Amino acid sequence: MRIAFIGLGNMGGPIAANLAHAGSNLIVCDIDRSKAKALIGLGADWANTPSEAVQDADIVMTSLPGPQQIESLAMGADGILANARDGAIWIELSTNNLEVERRVRAAAEEVGVQILDAPVSGGTEGAADGTLSIMVGGDKVIFDQCLPVLKMIGGEVSYLGDHGAGYVAKIAQVVLCYLHSVALSEALMLGVKGGVDVEIMLGIIQNSTGRSYVADRYGPPILRGDYDPGFTLALAHKDMRLTLELANSVGADLPMCKQVEDIYARATGAFGGEQNHLMAVRLLEEANKTYLRARPPQIAD
Ligand code: NAD
């Protein structure tokens, strides 16, 4: 079985590496060829274009920044759908919205390509360890066929129902990552301003009713001041925008999400989308003239 993998970034690179380690017949593609170096070393073939990657593939997998890239890669004469063979299955691993999912699926049906939405959670560690949580929507028969491949890259693989259900579940759970990051930084700031040492405060949170994955995973990078290089502010803001879009389309009123989306929008505007996602915390640090660090640098007035 030939697998084409497109999008070899922070997530796609290690996911594709796990497919290679499992002995898959792999062809890879990215707009940045340097991202394929390690995979070529593991035996993967390189394709110069997505159309070349998919033409002989039984399964196409994509891990792309978001809806815009998914739709542009799907459509057009050089796109996935015009070049994939009849009967191919496209496992889409990115975080996407329902509008693009519907448009791309309608186009896929016309050319005989089956799509599963299969967004992931677990970060770059989960991608590297092959322990991602994968949330899948689509045809159950196609899901069952793809399960062995999904098991090569994931730990918990959940079939959630019809097309789009994977994206809905992904967005509904990932929103907590950003709400918790902002909440964690405010709790730390409150403790520090009240005179508690920041490392002690984080330890207290990690051992109290306020503990969370975010406190364990993102507390240390906040205190180190590297703001976690695992993913970018642009992708975090995209997830918050997708949350509000989804809320709008399903008729959910989510006041906290609106505030947190605004924080990520302002952080992206202030620091740039390529910065690490926890730079959102920097807005709070600057407003309070206090870094949440063990040995904080001074913030000038
Ligand atoms: P990334 O920006 O590191 O990787 C995206 C890759 O896609 C890049 O290598 C880029 O060059 C490539 N790309 C973009 N347009 C392309 C095109 N037209 N053709 C070929 N390649 C193209 O992003 P990431 O952090 O790996 O995230 C990928 C997806 O996974 C996103 O949808 C993100 O929301 C989701 N996600 C990320 C994480 C995380 O911790 N990083 C966790 C869960 C889900």
Side-chain angles (χ1 to χ4, degrees):
M1 187 176 55
R2 180 80 155 161
I3 300 178
F5 200 107
I6 305 173
L8 309 171
N10 287 329
M11 297 297 283
I15 293 172
N18 280 328
L19 295 170
H21 288 308
S24 304
N25 176 357
L26 198 60
I27 181 162
V28 297
C29 179
D30 193 289
I31 42 174
D32 177 357
R33 187 182 171 139
S34 70
K35 302 216 172 149
K37 201 171 163 208
L39 290 158
I40 294 168
L42 290 171
D45 295 322
W46 165 255
N48 285 310
T49 59
S51 54
E52 185 189 329
V54 304
Q55 64 196 5
D56 295 323
D58 304 289
I59 290 184
V60 176
M61 298 175 91
T62 47
S63 177
L64 296 163
Q68 194 195 335
Q69 292 81 5
I70 294 166
E71 188 161 28
S72 70
L73 207 63
M75 310 299 198
D78 296 329
I80 291 175
L81 297 178
N83 294 282
R85 51 173 200 74
D86 192 7
I89 298 172
W90 178 0
I91 304 176
E92 209 304 294
L93 302 164
S94 326
T95 309
N96 189 12
N97 69 27
L98 295 182
E99 287 70 28
V100 168
E101 188 282 325
R102 283 189 200 108
R103 284 201 292 273
V104 168
R105 177 161 42 91
E109 277 166 8
E110 283 178 20
V111 294
V113 171
Q114 299 274 354
I115 303 191
L116 294 177
D117 45 295
V120 302
S121 174
T124 48
E125 301 90 349
D129 298 349
T131 56
L132 291 169
S133 170
I134 310 181
M135 295 149 271
V136 188
D139 186 301
K140 178 73 164 62
V141 173
I142 300 295
F143 168 78
D144 289 338
Q145 243 174 285
C146 293
L147 194 54
V149 174
L150 293 169
K151 287 278 186 196
M152 291 177 192
I153 62 170
E156 180 89 11
V157 182
S158 311
Y159 177 73
L160 299 169
D162 207 357
H163 296 279
Y167 292 140
V168 170
K170 164 68 196 181
I171 293 166
Q173 65 79 32
V174 80
V175 73
L176 283 175
C177 169
Y178 309 111
L179 268 58
H180 280 177
S181 295
V182 169
L184 172 67
S185 64
E186 292 194 4
L188 287 171
M189 187 60 74
L190 187 60
V192 168
K193 286 285 210 180
V196 179
D197 174 84
V198 71
E199 286 177 301
I200 293 174
M201 193 63 231
L202 178 59
I204 297 285
I205 291 169
Q206 288 173 303
N207 288 293
S208 71
T209 49
R211 68 178 172 261
S212 65
Y213 170 87
V214 165
D216 289 344
R217 174 68 184 77
Y218 298 148
I222 292 173
L223 269 55
R224 281 197 305 273
D226 68 16
Y227 300 106
D228 185 36
F231 65 103
T232 61
L233 207 40
L235 287 183
H237 183 222
K238 175 205 73 168
D239 284 347
M240 284 310 308
R241 271 191 286 108
L242 292 185
T243 301
L244 296 191
E245 279 174 34
L246 180 62
N248 193 36
S249 73
V250 301
D253 184 22
L254 309 176
M256 264 171 65
C257 290
K258 288 179 194 158
Q259 286 190 28
V260 172
E261 190 275 338
D262 179 62
I263 290 172
Y264 280 85
R266 285 190 289 115
T268 305
F271 309 121
E274 73 290 349
Q275 293 289 334
N276 300 343
H277 66 109
L278 289 170
M279 284 290 280
V281 172
R282 181 73 82 87
L283 289 179
L284 184 79
E285 292 178 322
E286 290 186 351
N288 284 278
K289 297 190 171 32
T290 304
Y291 281 118
L292 297 169
R293 309 266 176 87
R295 276 168 294 283
Q298 298 298 309
I299 296 182
D301 278 328

